[in-house]
Amino acid sequence: MTIGIAATGPWSGAGILAGLRAVEAIGRGAIGGFVSLAVLTTGQKLVRAETQTGGTQGLFADLPPEEILDAPFAALISSGPNRPSPLSQFVAAAPGIGLVTGHRFPHVATDDGHALNDLILDAMRRGVPAQDAIDHVVTAHPGFDAGFIALSAKGDLGLGNMPSVLRLSDQGAALRDCPDLGASVATLHNAVHPSKAIATVANEVVLDEIRRRDTPLQTITLVAGTRIRLADKVEIHVDGAFKATGVTHPNSQTLKSETSFGMGDRVRVVQFGKPIGWLGFEPYMVVKDGVIASLDGKPEARLPVHLDTRPPTGP
């Protein structure tokens, strides 16, 4: 009956908000009600936002503050409406230490009066890595009904569930590292369907939003008549005006008299022999005798390029 998302890296605040919006758009169940969000800014300032109803639509009266969007450490929890106040209890946070969110009941107190998420935060305060802090609390208090995501101010991320949560048929969990962005994201949830896909979708949307915001865009022009040359690497070569002067590709099908053709993903864009980024959109091309005849049915296409010398890694 809850979803927790946490991320570290540039624009993590914008990333987790985008991830939750995506889940609200495609999911059904315990979603679209309360949200408790906490971020740590670059200067380790703690900033919070919350709503009892409306999900991401109810979280801000206007656009989210920039200090939330570009925060490098961010965590949230969301579910149905009208949870017990204060909503801040659902995301433990401390500047210079980290953030702890989760799902089910991560805020519930143990017999000694300490909230589970605060115990994890206290362990990180003592220098315990995020994953170890979670593992210790799960081992010490296995009878509780909760799952956790911990994010330290050092950038390490961990997640884990109590045994009772692992037995739920509708629970999901995923952690994804993206070294080329210097970002990591984790999602835990239950009672949000389709349960086998939600965590993966949330994580991928988070990283896509981070990538979109963290890599400036340039537009290149690719026109019919551009020749495709066989080579080991897939590349688009452009001149100083960002007009394509040639394409390289290892697929010999491009030499056929006429064929349909796509360059694939991770297409490197090269200017004056130097990689400047990668293609952000793949056009549908018709190729005749190794020469581009059309792009999405037209003689010319203006294509976005992410300006980063490090192409994306992973699928």
Side-chain angles (χ1 to χ4, degrees), residues 42-295:
T42 302
Q44 287 296 301
K45 174 187 174 184
L46 173 61
V47 182
R48 290 186 180 270
E50 62 182 45
T51 183
Q52 283 283 17
T53 59
T56 53
Q57 295 299 312
L59 197 54
F60 302 103
D62 202 347
L63 295 176
E66 198 73 9
E67 64 180 353
I68 286 180
L69 294 175
D70 65 9
F73 306 94
L76 63 77
I77 186 171
S78 183
S79 188
N82 302 318
R83 294 306 193 253
S85 296
L87 294 182
S88 59
Q89 69 184 310
F90 292 96
V91 181
I97 306 301
L99 306 166
V100 183
T101 185
H103 68 149
R104 303 294 293 177
F105 306 101
H107 66 298
V108 167
T110 63
D111 292 341
D112 59 7
H114 294 100
L116 293 167
N117 51 14
D118 282 337
L119 290 175
I120 294 171
L121 191 66
D122 286 342
M124 291 195 296
R125 186 178 281 110
R126 298 192 303 271
V128 178
Q131 187 62 59
D132 292 344
I134 290 175
D135 292 344
H136 175 74
V137 168
V138 169
T139 300
H141 305 280
F144 284 82
D145 183 6
F148 310 97
I149 306 173
L151 170 59
S152 84
K154 298 177 182 178
D156 59 305
L157 191 63
L159 79 168
N161 285 304
M162 296 293 189
S164 63
V165 180
L166 291 174
R167 291 193 290 268
L168 297 174
S169 62
D170 63 358
Q171 61 90 19
L175 190 154
R176 173 84 188 276
D177 292 320
C178 193
D180 69 294
L181 283 178
S184 298
V185 57
T187 298
L188 287 175
H189 65 84
N190 70 101
V192 184
H193 303 274
S195 58
K196 303 304 179 187
I198 289 297
T200 299
V201 168
N203 284 359
E204 291 302 314
V205 171
V206 170
L207 291 174
D208 184 66
E209 180 72 11
I210 289 173
R211 187 183 306 283
R212 183 181 71 84
R213 288 177 177 269
D214 194 48
T215 54
L217 289 178
Q218 173 66 51
T219 301
I220 66 169
T221 303
L222 184 60
V223 300
T226 302
R227 179 165 294 279
I228 300 174
R229 180 172 57 86
L230 291 180
D232 293 336
K233 295 181 178 180
V234 183
E235 294 179 341
I236 299 178
H237 292 256
V238 299
D239 61 18
F242 295 96
K243 181 178 180 180
T245 58
V247 174
T248 64
H249 200 282
N251 189 350
S252 61
Q253 294 294 311
T254 61
L255 301 181
K256 283 187 173 182
S257 57
E258 182 171 337
T259 188
S260 298
F261 176 68
M263 285 181 282
D265 65 344
R266 309 180 201 174
V267 177
R268 188 184 297 273
V269 178
V270 179
Q271 186 179 54
F272 306 129
K274 178 183 177 181
I276 62 170
W278 67 93
L279 198 63
F281 175 81
E282 181 186 21
Y284 183 102
M285 295 187 291
V286 174
V287 176
K288 297 180 180 179
D289 300 318
V291 175
I292 297 173
S294 66
L295 304 101

Side-chain angles (χ1 to χ4, degrees), residues 299-313:
E300 178 178 308
R302 290 175 61 79
L303 304 172
V305 172
H306 292 275
L307 293 178
D308 192 329
T309 57
R310 302 164 300 170
T313 60

